[in-house]
Amino acid sequence: MTQRRAIKVTFSSVLLFTAIFILDQCFPPPLDRLRDVSTLVSDRNGAPLRLFANSEGRWRLPISIAEVSPLYRDLLLATEDRRFFSHPGIDILAIGRAALQNLRAGRIASGASTLTMQTARLLEPHRRSWPSKFLELFRALQLELRYDKQTLLEMYMTLAPFGGPVDGIKAAALFLFDKSPARLAPAEAALLAALPQAPSRLRPDRAPKAAQAARDRALARAVEADLLSPQAAREAAEEPVPTHRRATPFSAAHLADRLRRQRPGQTIIRTTIDAPLQHAIEALARQDIQTLNERAGLAILVVDHHVRAVRAAIGAPEPLNETRNGPIDMTMALRSPGSTLKPFVYGVAFDDRIIHPETLIADVSTRFGSYSPGNFDKGFHGELTAREALQQSLNVPAVIVFDRVGPTRFVDALRRAGVRLAFPPDTAPGLPIVLGGVSTTLWDMTMLYTGLRREGRVAPLLTNADEAEKALQIENAAEALTGVRVLSPDAAWQVTRILEGAPPPPGLIQAVEATQRPPIALKTGTSYGFRDAWSFGSTTRYTVGVWVGRPDGVPSPDRYGRNTAAPLLYKIFDLLPTESMAGSLEQIRRKTPFRPPIESIALPQSLRRLEAGNPLAHPIALPDPNRLRLVFPSPGMTIDALQPDGAITSVILVANGGKRPLTWFIDGSPVPSLSTRRETEWTPDGPGFAKITVIDADGRSAAAEVQIR
């Protein structure tokens, strides 16, 4: 009889396990909710930048045991399931205890759900009923058969509800404490261990007293389980519970959205962005945009050119502002670059030995077939060096040089380097390119200017932190820079030194000693009709690109690169970390300091003057190259010096030529001049008209009447 019973028990057990196996294979546990997680875009150190909700509109992030504070894990088990690591998904002892307590109370006073059973319910939500309870038990057994305990714990910590649309410990720690689960303090860990028991009723932002009571009970259990000392628990109980949730991370919004679309299915995207710097520049952009037209926009890129890493990216200061077309990422929008391609045209000409920085070029009325370019200030400046022509961004000399370089060859070189250039349909590259007769993006232009600081090599800007770290390792190992060669190191050096001598924006002085920062190699640009204002600047470590204008392409009269984009660029440089070359890529890679090319010292006879290929039929006599000229401001110019708060911005007056010392006058009254440069700083008394006059040592003068508003 006993043998028959043993056979029956064995047979029944085999049938039971066979049935369970068949049911398990036919009806596997649903894992769709576990896979349906949010996407978190973080900065290079893991700080959240932007969080995208999942398909249910919930904030849910996957988690691993290694990312969680051991105290939280132990508190969770002490609160929810003390025998988690010893039961098979169903805790018979807990079921018996709960049944006895419920019988004594005459109602349901205690539950017996294990963490595995709760995980099963979270994977497959259903209304409470006896059939659903049996299904939950079956699913718990399935999960235990399929996964180890660590994986089950990670499932629960990913799906556990914390009130509202927040699921999982990682999202809860972010929204309640703005930190990762690995850095939870005892009071924080206890609160998060208690919240899933009744997430709606215990939400600290709605019921802080109930949340605090639940937290304190969890702390008491921690003392009972020897997880905390009584003293540590008392100190934790004195901490206040958070009474509000942090705002959803929404920084570097356009870049984050682009990376999410490029990497579908990737839940954590670690970027090269520096979160504190990004936040500071976003605040500056929101402040600066208030001084512009209500439909104006701006875009900013900050690049660490040692590793080509984007440290800050702003596609719009107010990404949700429809009036300003905020949803459009203006770092990627095609716009006319104005005259910002000029430095690269000069650089190619330096490489081709067409010109030298000291080559004389005539800035006079010149026609190239039917094309007759003019300058921004509507005048001409006579004969001057290539260095001066580039620093003053004069158009005629640039077109003369570009005519020798060749538009098709120049465009091909930029495209090989990855710069996107768009032309009107059925239009071949021509001379207007150098003045903005083409469309490109702030992203590609910043990449191009980054190449100036990388010995003329242009390579894609990096936004993925892992890729940037790998690229740096490769370059250090090879002791060579990667990228497509656009300029030689000599030409890149020459262009950079020239741009470091360019006039600063109005009201600012390029004084390294005063600012304790390296000199900024500056280039500004303005597209036809004042539609786009550009500014690019670089120092020993950082390259910054700024675009200002209206995304809808409507002109913004009197808004141009020097008075709109360049001042913002200088403010951005003031926010950047102090630069040090210690341990930089350049020190690692170079055995000796970088030296200027021979051509920057000696001027060959063949490069002393460059003649226009197609001058006017009736040559114009060149003005005296040493004559005194007022470079800024030009006659009739309107200067926006009055700020919204009533403060008046200083204006830098710049002259060229003449014999020093120079004497400056405003409406006949003298102004102190700077002894080292042909410029002076003037602070207007208020709005109105003013006559500016400069006189050199020989008595020659130049003047301009301007309006201050």
Side-chain angles (χ1 to χ4, degrees), residues 311-549:
R311 297 300 186 209
I314 297 175
E318 300 170 352
L320 301 180
N321 188 332
E322 295 284 352
T323 301
R324 295 190 184 277
N325 288 289
I328 300 175
D329 182 359
M330 294 309 298
T331 66
M332 305 300 290
L334 287 169
R335 310 291 294 204
S336 165
S339 61
T340 56
L341 286 173
K342 287 178 182 176
F344 303 95
V345 170
Y346 279 80
V348 172
F350 292 155
D351 275 336
D352 290 350
R353 300 298 186 264
I354 295 172
I355 57 171
H356 171 283
E358 305 308 321
T359 298
L360 292 175
I361 307 175
D363 179 32
V364 296
S365 181
T366 307
R367 183 177 295 121
F368 301 82
S370 61
Y371 180 52
S372 182
N375 286 317
F376 184 78
D377 61 6
K378 308 301 183 184
F380 296 98
H381 301 259
E383 195 170 65
L384 69 173
T385 66
R387 180 189 310 276
E388 293 173 321
L390 179 54
Q391 287 175 343
Q392 298 176 35
S393 195
L394 299 178
N395 290 344
V396 173
V399 177
I400 292 173
V401 174
F402 194 43
D403 185 40
R404 295 294 182 89
V405 168
T408 301
R409 172 177 168 241
F410 182 74
V411 167
D412 288 344
L414 294 190
R415 283 177 168 164
R416 283 197 306 272
V419 178
R420 288 159 291 184
L421 299 173
F423 294 91
D426 302 322
T427 301
L431 294 181
I433 291 173
V434 72
L435 305 185
V438 67
S439 294
T440 187
T441 66
L442 175 65
W443 192 276
D444 287 357
M445 287 300 299
T446 306
M447 176 182 71
L448 197 55
Y449 273 86
T450 297
L452 279 180
R453 291 288 185 170
R454 293 175 59 82
E455 296 190 349
R457 288 192 176 273
V458 177
L461 302 182
L462 299 176
T463 56
N464 181 284
D466 295 332
E467 291 177 2
E469 292 164 3
K470 183 178 179 180
L472 179 60
Q473 292 173 359
I474 292 173
E475 289 188 341
N476 287 344
E479 294 190 347
L481 294 171
T482 57
V484 176
R485 172 75 67 194
V486 173
L487 301 177
S488 70
D490 287 359
W493 185 90
Q494 288 170 325
V495 171
T496 301
R497 297 291 84 77
I498 290 173
L499 296 183
E500 285 179 348
L508 294 174
I509 299 176
Q510 182 88 295
V512 178
E513 297 81 3
T515 60
Q516 297 298 312
R517 74 174 166 227
I520 297 173
L522 175 68
K523 183 67 186 80
T524 61
T526 307
S527 67
Y528 178 76
F530 298 93
R531 289 175 171 82
D532 308 274
W534 301 83
S535 182
F536 295 94
S538 65
T539 54
T540 54
R541 181 151 200 139
Y542 296 101
T543 298
V544 177
V546 175
W547 171 89
V548 182

Side-chain angles (χ1 to χ4, degrees), residues 108 158 227 338 366 451 521 540 548 581 646 704:
I108 298 178
T158 297
L227 301 176
T366 307
T540 54
V548 182
M581 295 300 292

